[in-house]
Amino acid sequence: MSAPALSGVLEAAIYVDDLDAAEAFYGGVLGLERIIRVDGRHVFYRCGATVVLAFIADATARPPAPDALPVPPHGAKGSGHICFAAPDQGLDALAAHLTAAGVDIESDFRWPHGPRSIYVRDPAGNSVEFADPALWSLDV
């Protein structure tokens, strides 16, 4: 029996240590639409058809309260990675925007098969990539 087809990634989680700093970066610099914030635990953002979940790791490691939704404990320690799709023709403007916002560009290059990626760090040290969607085209 084969697995059912999946249609994409619905949400991606990153772990942060300061929700205000996460909001300044993801909501302020990147302009993502905030969905909800629960102080001391998380802030969630809409990004196209995907949701970016920014959690305080220690808060998500605790079991849910008896009257809460039964979401199992989860979390990660240390820096993670998230990649945002950005069309190649918009990457120059994005790089200029990030630089103007005081965000250091860690790396900006083209992969051997042509697509470009720009890497920065968010305030929690997560690796944040902006890449031409052709990076993962079916021809790779």
Side-chain angles (χ1 to χ4, degrees), residues 4-140:
L6 303 176
S7 61
V9 175
L10 183 60
E11 59 190 32
I14 54 168
Y15 296 90
V16 302
D17 51 7
D18 181 333
L19 292 181
D20 291 333
E23 273 204 273
F25 182 78
Y26 290 97
V29 175
L30 300 187
L32 298 181
E33 173 194 354
R34 186 175 82 175
I35 299 170
I36 189 170
R37 176 177 168 152
V38 173
D39 285 332
R41 188 170 194 284
H42 65 256
V43 60
F44 297 166
Y45 294 95
R46 188 164 314 286
C47 183
T50 304
V51 174
V52 176
L53 311 171
F55 287 110
I56 300 287
D58 289 340
T60 63
R62 293 190 289 268
D67 59 341
L69 293 171
V71 176
H74 57 82
K77 299 291 183 185
S79 58
H81 174 74
I82 189 167
C83 180
F84 293 97
D88 187 70
Q89 62 271 22
L91 286 172
D92 284 335
L94 178 62
H97 173 76
L98 292 166
T99 301
V103 177
D104 292 330
I105 294 178
E106 189 172 31
S107 186
D108 181 347
F109 66 95
R110 289 200 176 274
W111 292 90
H113 62 294
R116 181 178 173 194
S117 286
I118 296 173
Y119 288 82
V120 303
R121 295 279 169 176
D122 75 4
N126 292 299
S127 174
V128 180
E129 179 183 4
F130 305 93
D132 179 347
L135 177 63
W136 293 109
S137 70
L138 296 177
D139 298 332
V140 174

